[in-house]
Amino acid sequence: MTIRKIHKSIRTSYTGLGEYRRLQNALSLYRTPTEIDDLLAAVDRSDDPQADLMREMLSNNLATHYRLLHSA
């Protein structure tokens, strides 16, 4: 593998990580079960290639909500 290809691969990874974090930050605003359920319903109707990732992030938000609720 050439240096150029390695550099491109690293740059692509960082770009993907930045996009992942931006999506995660945007979805972190949805915290209550009602908000999350509403967004999950919209994601379920979506053909977006990131729909599975969004479902996973929203499910994690929901799990965090219940974990915090029961630890208080």
Side-chain angles (χ1 to χ4, degrees):
M1 185 176 261
T2 67
I3 295 294
R4 216 174 269 209
K5 287 182 182 179
I6 293 170
H7 184 259
K8 183 178 179 181
S9 174
I10 292 171
R11 188 174 55 228
T12 301
S13 295
Y14 278 112
T15 300
L17 181 59
E19 291 172 6
Y20 178 88
R21 286 187 178 154
R22 278 190 292 279
L23 179 60
Q24 192 172 37
N25 288 337
L27 294 177
S28 71
L29 301 173
Y30 299 90
R31 294 186 179 130
T32 68
T34 301
E35 293 172 335
I36 294 168
D37 287 342
D38 287 346
L39 194 52
L40 280 170
V43 170
D44 283 341
R45 293 186 302 270
S46 173
D47 291 335
D48 190 311
Q50 291 187 334
D52 287 337
L53 180 58
M54 291 175 72
R55 273 187 216 92
E56 180 182 336
M57 289 179 178
L58 289 167
S59 295
N60 288 340
N61 291 358
L62 192 58
T64 298
H65 169 80
Y66 285 116
R67 191 171 39 256
L68 292 174
L69 182 69
H70 293 295
S71 70

